[in-house]
Amino acid sequence: MIPLAWKEGENEETYEAHINNMLNLWRGNFRNAYLPSLSRIIGSDKGYVNDLIEIMIILHDLGKLFIGYQKTLRKERIISRAEYRHEIVSAALTFFVLPVSEELYVISGAILLHHEPILMGQVSRYAEPYLTITDVERRLRKSCGGVIEFNPDGIRWTREKLKEYSFNFSSNLPVEVEIDEILDKIKELMLMLCVKCSPERKATLRLKVSALGTLLSIIDSVAANRSRKLDDGGTFITRRAEKSEVSLLWL
């Protein structure tokens, strides 16, 4: 089964096409506009930061490879995609790819929050001020049971895509993962970004997460806008960004 990123009626976009569209956008004017400042914010050379951003793009939608999500896109099974929130699983799966490091927490945090208005809007309806592990567990067990199984073709494609980078990856992506493992990773991420560090360290990490998360959100929306003309929900960011985003004005 070819994994999809989006489907509406007869219109669909494959998972592979969406990731490649985003990479092509980044490698064009977005890289020209953002890489120098992001290199200063991350504190590394441009080549390293470029690879880090491309890896983030490749990993950001991994949660969509959940078989239940794929079947729902094809109307073969119905789960609540709003309840499941693919970016939570994507952020956790980053821990299976990148070694423990500051870059791991920054990339995982950016992925977790690249749909922040949607996720936090849902959280606020439960009268919670922030996302909790309890809420994450409730969402995942309701949607997935005890184990999340992923589309094997999508996992294989991602593994091959990552081989293009000379990066110290920690292990292969799993084809299935227990909910408890996902919860452990999200808890570790939340502790690092919100509790464990000194105030100065937390401020630095959050600046980096915000910088990369904003970029990811814009590129994700622009790519969707160009290929999903019927997906109004995925393109509102683009319509607003077109009025002020330098990279889009250059296109």
Side-chain angles (χ1 to χ4, degrees):
M1 180 173 64
I2 297 175
L4 301 177
W6 171 82
K7 182 175 174 64
E8 188 69 40
E10 297 301 315
N11 301 287
E12 62 184 38
E13 180 185 34
T14 68
Y15 184 87
E16 178 179 341
H18 179 57
I19 300 299
N20 284 330
N21 288 340
M22 288 181 64
L23 288 172
N24 289 335
L25 280 171
W26 163 248
R27 291 165 182 169
N29 290 328
F30 278 92
R31 179 161 58 188
N32 294 336
Y34 279 92
L35 188 56
S37 58
L38 286 175
S39 180
R40 290 192 295 272
I41 291 171
I42 301 301
S44 298
D45 66 80
K46 293 179 182 178
Y48 178 83
V49 174
N50 176 78
D51 285 355
L52 204 61
I53 290 167
E54 294 198 2
I55 290 166
M56 175 180 68
I57 289 172
I58 292 169
L59 300 178
H60 87 284
D61 265 355
L62 280 172
K64 288 186 176 181
L65 294 176
F66 166 44
I67 290 176
Y69 189 99
Q70 291 294 311
K71 288 184 176 180
T72 297
L73 287 176
R74 291 180 162 87
K75 308 297 185 186
E76 299 172 6
R77 172 181 172 182
I78 300 298
I79 66 165
S80 170
R81 288 187 285 160
E83 185 79 3
Y84 169 67
R85 295 316 314 162
H86 68 274
E87 66 270 27
I88 295 175
V89 176
S90 302
L93 288 178
T94 304
F95 281 76
F96 291 88
V97 179
L98 298 174
V100 175
S101 62
E102 179 174 296
E103 289 85 351
L104 165 63
Y105 297 114
V106 169
I107 292 298
S108 184
I111 290 173
L112 177 66
L113 296 176
H114 79 279
H115 290 309
E116 181 181 10
I118 299 173
L119 178 60
M120 297 314 296
Q122 292 177 358
V123 169
S124 67
R125 287 201 293 271
Y126 296 113
E128 294 284 354
Y130 41 75
L131 182 69
T132 65
I133 295 297
T134 301
D135 183 46
V136 172
E137 180 172 19
R138 178 191 61 77
R139 290 168 178 270
L140 295 181
R141 293 203 186 280
K142 181 177 180 180
S143 302
C144 314
V147 176
I148 307 178
E149 296 182 59
F150 301 103
N151 178 287
D153 293 329
I155 294 295
R156 279 193 294 269
W157 181 83
T158 303
R159 290 172 180 167
E160 289 301 312
K161 197 74 175 173
L162 291 173
K163 289 180 181 179
E164 299 175 12
Y165 303 88
S166 56
F167 205 85
N168 182 29
F169 297 114
S170 59
S171 65
N172 280 333
L173 281 170
V175 176
E176 66 176 40
V177 62
E178 293 185 2
I179 296 296
D180 287 342
E181 292 182 87
I182 296 292
L183 296 174
D184 286 344
K185 305 306 183 188
I186 295 298
K187 182 178 181 180
E188 182 179 346
L189 175 63
M190 290 179 173
L191 287 173
M192 181 58 66
L193 295 181
C194 303
V195 179
K196 281 185 176 181
C197 303
S198 67
E200 294 79 10
R201 175 88 167 139
K202 282 189 288 187
T204 299
L205 286 173
R206 290 180 182 187
L207 171 63
K208 294 178 180 182
V209 169
S210 177
L212 293 182
T214 299
L215 172 69
L216 182 61
S217 179
I218 293 173
I219 294 180
D220 191 18
S221 183
V222 173
N225 184 58
R226 293 184 168 189
S227 58
R228 309 175 197 175
K229 297 304 181 183
L230 300 179
D231 184 18
D232 184 70
T235 61
F236 72 96
I237 294 175
T238 302
R239 292 199 299 273
R240 285 155 178 78
E242 284 173 342
K243 299 177 181 179
S244 60
E245 174 57 54
V246 173
S247 300
L248 295 178
L249 296 177
W250 286 351
L251 293 176

